[in-house]
């Protein structure tokens, strides 16, 4: 198994060897919590969330508020992975991208391992409308299920770019026509991209198990998994240049953090101008899945570990405080998440 930080080390070696890749990055997964459909019977009393560069772990306490047992499927979804992005860019995936448990997800209920089931399906995402939608939408409405279509055409449910392109190249003319009609792929039969196939489906992985919440009782559920977020080369200036404002807004980079980025990521000056260049982890955590449970979260605690004392972290979070050389904590009572977490962790190049 190749942990996430090993991937970053390899990526860093590549970009140092090739300065022309200064704007390159690598793709990755956003993260989320557990869902149970929409229920008024089971409340989330506690959520203790840990987010680190390489790992995410969550401890929950749920209470069945009714006089009857409630049984259903608890689901942990990964976001759809567009296979065209695997073909055209690097991704922060395991060395074996086709291992069944992609992020080494584990879960326990009242201290005992649960019987996990893992679904892997293919979807074609809805056409973009040009209107902004929240990140949680990709979990709620991932797209049209085309798993059976891929199987019929002999296209594998793989996350290996090489296998995907080889399978598309092996299609017969009739199969290519069908794949095009179904919106699975585009084929270029003339022009500068002659012979190129562009896959349009995404792979969706869901972990789930059947859970009973006994009447009037609490159930403690814990889960953990590898954090495989996107990232790449990070360039900053103070004051921020116009094109950096979107990043500043997304991560609430204030004056002090902006100056901290300049100090931590400082590089030799060019033409008398200060430069700040490093690597970033761009972590997204979909908090609003917690709203599928009954009522607010009675006690919410976020612990964030930035990985090394010299790293810089920024996010939009009221009441967060530093608790150690690399850790920060935010606590809320009767918490109803109204936005998802977007966390920037910037590291100096020498790390």
């Amino acid at each position: 198994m190749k942990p996430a930080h090993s991937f970053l080390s390899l990526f860093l070696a590549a970009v140092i060897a090739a300065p022309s890749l200064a704007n390159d990055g690598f793709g990755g997964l956003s993260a989320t919590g557990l869902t149970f459909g929409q229920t008024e019977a089971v409340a989330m009393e506690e959520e203790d969330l840990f987010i680190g560069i390489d790992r995410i772990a969550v401890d929950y306490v749920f209470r069945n508020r009714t006089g009857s047992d409630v049984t259903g499927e608890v689901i942990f979804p990964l976001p759809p992975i567009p296979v065209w992005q695997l073909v055209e860019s690097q991704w922060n995936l395991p060395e074996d991208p086709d291992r069944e448990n992609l992020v080494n997800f584990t879960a326990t209920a009242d201290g005992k391992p649960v019987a996990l089931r893992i679904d892997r399906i293919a979807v074609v995402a809805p056409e973009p409308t040009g209107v902004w939608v929240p990140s949680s939408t990709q979990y709620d409405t991932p797209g049209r299920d085309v798993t059976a279509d891929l199987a019929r055409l002999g296209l594998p449910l793989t996350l290996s770019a090489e296998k995907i392109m080889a399978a598309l190249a092996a299609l017969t003319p009739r199969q290519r026509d069908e794949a095009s009609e179904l919106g699975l792929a585009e084929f270029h039969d003339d022009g500068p991209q002659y012979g190129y196939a562009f896959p349009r489906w995404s792979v969706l992985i869901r972990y789930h198990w059947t859970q009973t919440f006994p009447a009037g009782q609490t159930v403690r559920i814990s889960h953990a998994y590898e954090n495989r977020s996107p990232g790449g080369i990070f360039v900053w200036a103070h004051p921020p240049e116009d094109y950096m404002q979107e990043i500043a807004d997304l991560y609430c980079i204030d004056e002090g953090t902006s100056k901290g980025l300049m100090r931590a990521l400082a590089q030799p000056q060019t033409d008398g101008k200060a430069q700040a260049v490093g690597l970033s982890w761009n972590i997204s955590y979909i908090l609003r899945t917690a709203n599928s449970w009954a009522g607010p979260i009675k006690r919410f605690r976020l612990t964030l570990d930035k990985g090394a004392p010299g790293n810089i972290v920024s996010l939009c979070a009221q009441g967060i405080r530093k608790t150690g050389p690399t850790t920060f904590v935010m606590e809320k009572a009767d918490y109803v998440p109204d936005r998802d977490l977007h966390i920037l962790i910037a590291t100096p190049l020498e790390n």
Side-chain angles (χ1 to χ4, degrees):
M1 180 190 72
K2 184 187 295 181
H5 59 76
S6 295
F7 179 94
L8 182 57
S9 299
L10 292 176
F11 181 81
L12 175 56
V15 297
I16 289 177
S20 63
L21 299 179
N23 291 321
D24 281 8
F26 52 88
L29 303 171
S30 60
T32 189
L34 301 179
T35 66
F36 193 68
Q38 189 67 42
T39 178
E40 293 300 321
V42 180
M44 186 186 293
E45 293 202 332
E46 298 180 19
E47 179 177 359
D48 196 338
L49 169 62
F50 170 86
I51 297 178
I53 291 175
D54 290 335
R55 180 175 176 271
I56 291 177
V58 196
D59 297 318
Y60 301 95
V61 177
F62 295 101
R63 179 179 293 278
N64 182 348
R65 307 195 303 185
T66 73
S68 303
D69 291 356
V70 174
T71 298
E73 286 297 294
V74 174
I75 302 169
F76 174 78
L78 295 181
I81 302 171
V83 297
W84 70 266
Q85 292 186 12
L86 303 177
V87 172
E88 299 196 351
S89 64
Q90 299 187 67
W91 261 63
N92 184 8
L93 292 179
E95 188 172 4
D96 176 10
D98 285 331
R99 71 185 188 192
E100 183 183 21
N101 192 343
L102 185 67
V103 294
N104 277 334
F105 179 84
T106 60
T108 62
D110 288 332
K112 298 179 180 179
V114 301
L116 278 177
R117 295 187 293 277
I118 304 174
D119 298 334
R120 182 180 289 222
I121 65 173
V123 298
V124 171
E127 290 293 333
T129 62
V131 178
W132 180 86
V133 294
S135 302
S136 54
T137 301
Q138 63 186 327
Y139 294 93
D140 301 332
T141 54
R144 171 170 53 93
D145 189 335
V146 294
T147 309
D149 296 323
L150 261 64
R152 186 177 63 258
L153 292 169
L155 298 172
L157 267 177
T158 180
L159 295 176
S160 164
E162 292 79 8
K163 292 178 182 177
I164 292 165
M165 298 309 288
L168 287 170
L171 293 178
T172 66
R174 183 174 179 179
Q175 289 174 321
R176 284 160 56 102
D177 290 342
E178 183 178 357
S180 296
E181 291 173 3
L182 292 170
L184 300 180
E186 297 175 9
F187 298 91
H188 298 271
D189 295 322
D190 53 28
Q193 291 185 306
Y194 174 77
Y196 182 74
F198 183 84
R200 297 192 60 211
W201 70 89
S202 299
V203 174
L204 178 63
I205 298 172
R206 288 187 177 125
Y207 300 84
H208 61 104
W209 70 92
T210 303
Q211 180 69 49
T212 295
F213 298 88
Q217 297 184 33
T218 60
V219 175
R220 295 180 178 270
I221 294 179
S222 299
H223 70 76
Y225 55 97
E226 296 171 4
N227 185 11
R228 294 193 167 272
S229 59
I233 291 293
F234 180 80
V235 179
W236 194 251
H238 182 80
E241 298 183 21
D242 290 345
Y243 75 91
M244 299 174 177
Q245 194 56 51
E246 184 177 355
I247 297 172
D249 293 342
L250 179 63
Y251 299 111
C252 290
I253 299 176
D254 58 17
E255 179 90 0
T257 304
S258 181
K259 291 179 179 178
L261 286 167
M262 296 300 294
R263 290 191 299 270
L265 309 182
Q267 297 293 311
Q269 291 192 9
T270 300
D271 298 329
K273 295 181 180 180
Q275 295 187 90
V277 182
L279 292 170
S280 70
W281 297 101
N282 305 99
I283 302 171
S284 294
Y285 190 90
I286 311 303
L287 271 176
R288 281 178 284 184
T289 53
N291 293 339
S292 61
W293 304 89
I297 306 170
K298 286 190 176 180
R299 188 188 74 82
F300 174 82
R301 176 184 173 94
L302 165 67
T303 301
L304 175 60
D305 191 332
K306 65 178 181 177
N311 293 347
I312 300 293
V313 63
S314 192
L315 70 159
C316 301
Q318 291 186 345
I320 194 164
R321 66 186 191 280
K322 189 172 184 178
T323 56
T326 65
T327 56
F328 301 79
V329 169
M330 180 181 75
E331 295 177 300
K332 301 286 184 181
D334 295 323
Y335 183 47
V336 180
D338 59 357
R339 65 184 298 169
D340 299 319
L341 287 174
H342 298 285
I343 302 166
L344 170 71
I345 299 178
T347 73
L349 288 177
E350 65 267 23
N351 278 3

